[in-house]
């Protein structure tokens, strides 16, 4: 497990975008070799998406041979609703890059058979060869995707009822009106994300500080589903200073020193691949 601490949100977003860019370029995707990327929604990844769009427009990065799988989608919200995750992804990312729409996979929260939709999503991931890099964010209660507190840590893609904390947090996207916020969603499971070859979790802001503490300083606990990724062989938590406020001083110091040594050892190599 790695913890990368940057000074602020913008730097954390840029570091994450450069990491994704580097992974895709190193992979050397092509017509018979697609890079498979898991993607989140919400406010946290917006800065990362903006940087990835910038790299694409500068000619540094192509998504022509990339397949994406999104973490979740609301149930019952029309696909063209401005707050659906279909709309979010197309408006904030996909329409600005060269990805083939057929390679951008998002769960259908209006499917006639929701369980069949979830099963088909898992099958598509399997047929794509699994996820190379799954990028995620978390809620203040430590949930990843919509795997709310108490979710099984080996869960697969399924229908979930949203916790009241999540509904309250998402009300800001629905004019503050709780009655407009969907109460159910389709979501990949913790086990689905754990199957990825690599996981990168973005955590920014003081309101996520206690969740980060639970994620890395305490044991694995299904009440804090993000803590499961302590057991993944290749997990990177990317955060800003505000998100570290609940961590022990020695924890922050250790990971900052490790990050500096990593940069010093890999500087020339990284410069070969990462956009400036």
């Amino acid at each position: 497990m790695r913890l990368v601490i940057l000074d602020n949100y913008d730097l954390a977003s840029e570091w994450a975008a450069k990491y994704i860019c580097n992974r895709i370029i190193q992979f050397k995707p092509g017509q018979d070799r697609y890079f498979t990327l898991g993607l989140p929604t919400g406010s946290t990844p917006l800065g990362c998406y903006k940087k990835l769009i910038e790299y694409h427009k500068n000619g540094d990065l192509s998504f022509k041979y990339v397949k994406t799988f999104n973490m979740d989608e609301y149930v019952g919200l029309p696909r063209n609703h401005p707050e659906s995750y279909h709309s979010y992804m197309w408006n904030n990312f996909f329409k600005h890059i060269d990805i083939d729409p057929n390679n951008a996979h998002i769960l259908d929260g209006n499917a006639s058979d929701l369980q069949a939709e979830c099963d088909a999503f898992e099958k598509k991931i399997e047929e794509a060869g699994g996820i190379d890099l799954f990028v995620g964010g978390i809620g203040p209660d430590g949930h990843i995707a919509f795997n709310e507190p108490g979710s099984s840590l080996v869960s697969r893609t399924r229908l979930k009822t949203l916790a009241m904390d999540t509904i309250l947090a998402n009300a800001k996207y629905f004019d503050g009106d709780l009655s407009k916020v969907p109460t159910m969603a389709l979501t990949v499971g913790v086990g689905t994300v754990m199957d990825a070859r690599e996981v990168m979790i973005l955590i920014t802001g003081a309101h996520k500080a206690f969740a980060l503490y639970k994620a890395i300083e305490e044991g694995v606990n299904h009440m804090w589903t993000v803590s499961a990724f302590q057991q993944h062989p290749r997990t990177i938590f990317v955060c800003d200073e505000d998100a570290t406020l609940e961590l022990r001083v020695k924890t922050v110091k250790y990971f900052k020193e490790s990050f500096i040594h990593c940069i010093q050892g890999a500087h020339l190599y990284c410069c070969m691949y990462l956009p400036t």
Side-chain angles (χ1 to χ4, degrees):
M1 183 188 76
R2 292 174 59 194
L3 175 64
V4 176
I5 304 169
L6 286 306
D7 287 346
N8 55 52
Y9 171 82
D10 289 339
L11 290 176
S13 298
E14 182 177 15
W15 193 95
K18 285 184 176 182
Y19 191 88
I20 295 168
C21 179
N22 195 27
R23 279 289 177 259
I24 295 172
I25 292 172
Q26 283 181 304
F27 188 83
K28 298 181 181 178
Q31 188 171 356
D32 299 316
R33 179 178 163 82
Y34 279 76
F35 186 87
T36 309
L37 185 62
L39 294 174
T41 53
S43 56
T44 303
L46 284 174
C48 177
Y49 289 150
K50 287 179 181 177
K51 295 302 294 187
L52 288 172
I53 292 167
E54 178 184 319
Y55 301 156
H56 168 67
K57 290 186 174 180
N58 289 343
D60 295 315
L61 180 62
S62 172
F63 292 86
K64 184 176 181 180
Y65 297 116
V66 173
K67 294 182 180 181
T68 65
F69 289 87
N70 263 79
M71 283 191 152
D72 40 35
E73 177 59 288
Y74 290 121
V75 168
L77 204 62
R79 183 174 178 145
N80 61 355
H81 189 284
E83 296 305 331
S84 77
Y85 290 153
H86 277 80
S87 293
Y88 172 102
M89 290 306 302
W90 285 102
N91 292 333
N92 292 304
F93 192 40
F94 291 150
K95 75 178 183 180
H96 304 286
I97 59 176
D98 61 341
I99 194 168
D100 182 341
N102 293 320
N103 291 331
H105 304 284
I106 305 176
L107 286 155
D108 182 0
N110 293 289
S112 57
D113 187 332
L114 295 176
Q115 186 55 55
E117 171 67 11
C118 293
D119 294 343
F121 199 74
E122 289 275 348
K123 183 67 173 176
K124 289 177 184 176
I125 292 175
E126 181 183 346
E127 291 172 347
I131 306 291
D132 292 302
L133 172 61
F134 219 131
V135 183
I138 65 169
D141 61 1
H143 73 259
I144 186 164
F146 278 129
N147 293 286
E148 303 283 28
S151 294
S152 167
L153 300 185
V154 295
S155 55
R156 312 305 300 187
T157 303
R158 68 209 186 284
L159 174 67
K160 280 291 292 182
T161 300
L162 303 186
M164 181 52 66
D165 282 349
T166 300
I167 293 171
L168 290 170
N170 289 347
K172 62 184 177 183
Y173 302 115
F174 294 86
D175 302 319
D177 187 346
L178 290 180
S179 67
K180 295 180 180 179
V181 184
T183 59
M184 303 188 79
L186 300 184
T187 179
V188 296
V190 178
T192 310
V193 183
M194 283 287 287
D195 281 350
R197 284 177 275 282
E198 188 172 14
V199 178
M200 180 167 64
I201 299 173
L202 312 179
I203 305 175
T204 58
H207 63 301
K208 305 282 182 75
F210 193 66
L212 179 60
Y213 158 70
K214 286 287 189 177
I216 69 171
E217 286 196 346
E218 292 204 345
V220 175
N221 185 336
H222 69 173
M223 296 307 293
W224 297 84
T225 52
V226 68
S227 67
F229 296 94
Q230 293 178 24
Q231 298 186 319
H232 193 284
R234 295 189 67 186
T235 295
I236 303 175
F237 291 94
V238 181
C239 69
D240 61 5
E241 284 283 353
D242 285 348
T244 69
L245 293 177
E246 296 285 349
L247 298 182
R248 296 180 178 91
V249 172
K250 65 180 181 181
T251 299
V252 174
K253 182 179 180 181
Y254 169 76
F255 281 109
K256 280 188 173 182
E257 289 178 349
S258 297
F259 181 55
I260 291 171
H261 293 155
C262 178
I263 291 174
Q264 290 172 341
H267 178 70
L268 293 177
Y269 177 74
C270 290
C271 287
M272 293 171 61
Y273 289 99
L274 299 181
T276 56

